[in-house]
Amino acid sequence: MSKGNVFIGSLDQGTTSTRFIIYDRSASAVGSHQVEFTQFYPEAGWVEHDPMEILESVRVCMAKALDKATAEGHNVDSGLKAIGLTNQRETTVIWSKSTGLPLYNAIVWMDARTSSICRRLEKDLPGGRSHFVESCGLPISTYFSATKLLWLMENVDVVKDAIKHGDALFGTVDTWLIWNLTGVVKNGLHVTDVSNASRTMLMNLKTLNWDETTLKTLGIPTEILPKIVSNSEVIGNVAAGWPILDIPIAGCLGDQHAAMVGQACRKGEAKSTYGTGAFILLNTGEEKIQSQHGLLTTMAFKLGPAAPANYALEGSIAIAGAAVQWLRDSLGIIRSASEIEELASQVDSTGGVYFVPAFNGLFAPWWRDDARGVCIGITRFTNKAHIARAVLESMCFQVKDVLDSMQKDAGERDLAKYENKEFLLRVDGGATVNNLLMQIQADLLGTPVVRPADIETTALGAAYAAGLAVGVWKDDDIFSSSKKTKTATTFHPKLAADSRKKKVDSWCKAVTRTFDLADLSV
């Protein structure tokens, strides 16, 4: 195959937008399109998506990306070899097998409506909040798909009826997309991958199959669950009705796992993705490590049916870039997300303001679903630039909290890789274009932050997985880091150690002010 006539498509279905990117054989993007879609907030703490709107966004992005690549002279129609898929994790969809229509809106990963279910499970199960950690690596939390599925089973009559009559199918967003892409009611494949399955609280991390004991404990019928496959294998072909026809879907990963592949994270290496939330993962190789410091044990990736499973320690942060969107959409302090860097740069500090975006609680390492957002230290001196800078700092403080826990866990196992005695954090995601954000992150960590030339490593990782499955790339093409390092930008810390410590202490004080606020009167 000539270099000029080989292409891999990547479908990146995120929390606030969908994009489709077409890569050539050198892994350079030759065409892309992105579409935002509607966020629904029916009640405080609830977040939903319309699964049908997500499908339409996929359709538009595919068609527009193809048009753009063709307009640039690329013969994608004859050269497209496969597509990879990556998606927002944990978000839960349940639909009718017979009609193909969703039975309820998708319940998004950050949705907190299942807190009462979590409290009930913690009370009723002998292991409490950690009851399922041994099998699935995850604590009982509103974050994961299992509790969202339980809510649907308990509160939505059409879901109850569909399950009773054998007409219900459950899946995370990857499953919903694959079922629709491969034929819907007629021939749709009901499939998920090991990375997405590992985020449901239902998959056994050792066997990589649904855990029968967990399913029995929770009362979830096996019949509604998808088949679990690896991250890199031909799953099925795209059916009629889509802009791309009869092309194999050959890669599927949850977004954070795809970013690990896109960043070429091998054992001992960590990455942080800054999107709606922020997600830090450390590849622990073939060893599953149970965190002693508030992190999750999860899959990293399994690049082929016969390939070894790589595991990871993960720290998940619910609100990162979403706080910038809140400044834009809810407060009107900025008109576009890109404006925050200029606004925050107008001041050289937050003026003593600390912002903790615990909109729906706090994830790792705190795990407090009773937390709510606070902004403290406000005086008459405070202006919108101080608030903007405090929002940027909140993202970086949260990442530091997770990395501190991660380095404790990794240090106990001598896992983390260091370069010149410094821990390097690889970063990606849309927010990393903000140079001020990256410098603040390096300052608060006290170690370098490395940003690749292509920050959309989530889409790239899905493309790599698909290309690997159909022979376009080999392992060495993906994990050889010399080329990536040459084109990366490194941010070095400038903040003095004593100043860093004072700021971190103040941040920790602010975090404690968020606790036990969920029942404040409206």
Side-chain angles (χ1 to χ4, degrees), residues 18-143:
T18 300
R19 78 180 76 207
F20 192 79
I21 302 177
I22 300 166
Y23 293 94
D24 62 19
R25 196 165 189 171
S26 64
S28 298
V30 298
S32 68
H33 192 74
Q34 182 174 4
V35 172
E36 289 193 358
F37 55 88
T38 311
Q39 308 292 306
F40 297 96
Y41 307 100
E43 296 184 24
W46 293 28
V47 190
E48 296 178 359
H49 293 156
D50 178 355
M52 301 305 291
E53 185 183 3
I54 287 176
L55 290 182
E56 184 57 27
S57 72
V58 170
R59 196 181 308 277
V60 169
C61 287
M62 279 184 171
K64 296 286 189 181
L66 282 169
D67 289 347
K68 290 177 181 178
T70 302
E72 292 294 322
H74 301 286
N75 190 3
V76 178
D77 285 339
S78 64
L80 191 62
K81 303 305 176 186
I83 66 171
L85 187 155
T86 183
N87 59 286
Q88 51 169 315
R89 305 173 302 168
E90 297 97 19
T91 296
T92 298
V93 189
I94 193 159
W95 66 95
S96 165
K97 190 189 305 183
S98 59
T99 69
L101 297 175
L103 299 173
Y104 194 83
N105 271 350
I107 300 180
V108 180
W109 57 271
M110 68 177 74
D111 185 287
R113 76 185 66 187
T114 63
S115 57
S116 60
I117 292 175
C118 294
R119 299 294 81 75
R120 185 185 75 211
L121 292 173
E122 290 174 11
K123 181 181 177 182
D124 293 348
L125 296 174
R129 185 170 164 273
S130 301
H131 184 82
F132 301 111
V133 166
E134 185 64 31
S135 61
C136 72
L138 309 176
I140 294 170
S141 170
T142 60
Y143 184 16

Side-chain angles (χ1 to χ4, degrees), residues 459-506:
L460 180 60
Y464 276 152
L468 188 64
V470 297
V472 171
W473 293 303
K474 297 179 181 179
D475 274 0
D476 286 347
D477 298 323
I478 297 170
F479 290 100
S480 175
S481 60
S482 57
K483 179 182 176 183
K484 296 183 177 70
T485 303
K486 287 178 182 176
T487 57
T489 302
T490 302
F491 295 84
H492 295 278
K494 299 176 182 177
L495 188 67
D498 58 337
S499 298
R500 181 182 309 116
K501 184 180 185 306
K502 288 177 183 177
K503 289 180 72 69
V504 170
D505 289 345
S506 297

Side-chain angles (χ1 to χ4, degrees), residues 293-495:
H293 303 282
L295 304 182
L296 307 175
T297 306
T298 193
M299 288 294 301
F301 44 76
K302 179 177 166 63
L303 296 176
N310 271 232
Y311 296 91
L313 282 172
E314 173 172 348
S316 307
I317 296 162
I319 304 295
V324 178
Q325 292 174 320
W326 176 73
L327 286 184
R328 180 193 68 188
D329 300 337
S330 297
L331 299 189
I333 289 178
I334 53 176
R335 288 171 297 176
S336 67
S338 59
E339 290 180 11
I340 192 171
E341 181 173 8
E342 181 182 354
L343 179 58
S345 296
Q346 292 175 10
V347 292
D348 58 9
S349 76
T350 65
V353 173
Y354 287 82
F355 173 72
V356 187
F359 295 162
N360 294 332
L362 289 170
F363 288 173
W366 307 96
W367 296 107
R368 296 290 299 246
D369 60 19
D370 64 341
R372 290 297 180 267
V374 301
C375 189
I376 65 171
I378 299 171
T379 67
R380 285 293 298 270
F381 173 71
T382 304
N383 62 40
K384 62 182 181 180
H386 294 115
I387 302 294
R389 194 175 184 102
V391 167
L392 294 184
E393 285 197 356
S394 75
M395 298 164 65
C396 300
F397 277 122
Q398 290 181 95
V399 170
K400 177 174 171 54
D401 288 343
V402 168
L403 276 171
D404 285 349
S405 295
M406 191 169 281
Q407 289 184 301
K408 288 174 186 175
D409 280 322
E412 289 163 6
R413 301 281 187 125
D414 195 27
L415 264 176
K417 281 189 179 179
Y418 294 82
E419 190 170 305
N420 298 324
K421 298 185 178 180
E422 289 186 314
F423 180 82
L424 299 180
L425 178 66
R426 303 178 183 200
V427 298
D428 56 68
T432 61
V433 298
N434 187 322
N435 290 326
L436 176 60
L437 177 71
M438 295 294 94
Q439 186 58 54
I440 292 171
Q441 188 68 85
D443 285 342
L444 293 180
L445 291 178
T447 56
V449 168
V450 181
R451 182 179 65 194
D454 182 358
I455 62 171
E456 298 303 340
T457 58
T458 300
L460 180 60
Y464 276 152
L468 188 64
V470 297
V472 171
W473 293 303
K474 297 179 181 179
D475 274 0
D476 286 347
D477 298 323
I478 297 170
F479 290 100
S480 175
S481 60
S482 57
K483 179 182 176 183
K484 296 183 177 70
T485 303
K486 287 178 182 176
T487 57
T489 302
T490 302
F491 295 84
H492 295 278
K494 299 176 182 177
L495 188 67

Side-chain angles (χ1 to χ4, degrees), residues 52-235:
M52 301 305 291
E53 185 183 3
I54 287 176
L55 290 182
E56 184 57 27
S57 72
V58 170
R59 196 181 308 277
V60 169
C61 287
M62 279 184 171
K64 296 286 189 181
L66 282 169
D67 289 347
K68 290 177 181 178
T70 302
E72 292 294 322
H74 301 286
N75 190 3
V76 178
D77 285 339
S78 64
L80 191 62
K81 303 305 176 186
I83 66 171
L85 187 155
T86 183
N87 59 286
Q88 51 169 315
R89 305 173 302 168
E90 297 97 19
T91 296
T92 298
V93 189
I94 193 159
W95 66 95
S96 165
K97 190 189 305 183
S98 59
T99 69
L101 297 175
L103 299 173
Y104 194 83
N105 271 350
I107 300 180
V108 180
W109 57 271
M110 68 177 74
D111 185 287
R113 76 185 66 187
T114 63
S115 57
S116 60
I117 292 175
C118 294
R119 299 294 81 75
R120 185 185 75 211
L121 292 173
E122 290 174 11
K123 181 181 177 182
D124 293 348
L125 296 174
R129 185 170 164 273
S130 301
H131 184 82
F132 301 111
V133 166
E134 185 64 31
S135 61
C136 72
L138 309 176
I140 294 170
S141 170
T142 60
Y143 184 16
F144 307 114
S145 309
T147 59
K148 303 178 195 299
L149 177 56
L150 288 178
W151 187 92
L152 290 165
M153 292 168 61
E154 294 175 8
N155 293 278
V156 182
D157 288 341
V158 290
V159 171
K160 296 177 190 176
D161 291 343
I163 291 175
K164 181 179 178 182
H165 295 100
D167 189 43
L169 294 176
F170 155 82
T172 40
V173 171
D174 58 307
T175 305
W176 168 246
L177 292 177
I178 291 170
W179 194 78
N180 279 277
L181 286 167
T182 56
V184 200
V185 173
K186 197 171 183 180
N187 296 305
L189 298 173
H190 191 212
V191 171
T192 190
D193 73 273
V194 288
S195 66
N196 276 295
S198 75
R199 311 299 296 183
T200 61
M201 214 171 78
L202 301 174
M203 189 190 82
N204 187 298
L205 281 178
K206 184 177 181 180
T207 66
L208 306 186
N209 290 315
W210 302 118
D211 190 84
E212 293 181 9
T213 302
T214 301
L215 296 177
K216 184 177 179 180
T217 299
L218 297 176
I220 295 174
T222 309
E223 296 76 29
I224 70 172
L225 302 178
K227 175 186 176 183
I228 301 174
V229 299
S230 77
N231 299 123
S232 179
E233 62 180 275
V234 175
I235 296 169

Side-chain angles (χ1 to χ4, degrees), residues 89 254-266 268-275 277-283 300-301 312-315 399 402-403 406 423-429 450 452 457-458:
R89 305 173 302 168
D255 50 9
Q256 305 313 317
H257 314 269
M260 287 199 87
V261 176
Q263 286 271 38
C265 285
R266 292 166 290 194
E269 296 176 337
K271 69 90 199 170
S272 179
T273 298
Y274 300 74
F279 305 88
I280 305 93
L281 283 84
L282 172 73
N283 189 333
F301 44 76
L313 282 172
E314 173 172 348
V399 170
V402 168
L403 276 171
M406 191 169 281
F423 180 82
L424 299 180
L425 178 66
R426 303 178 183 200
V427 298
D428 56 68
V450 181
T457 58
T458 300

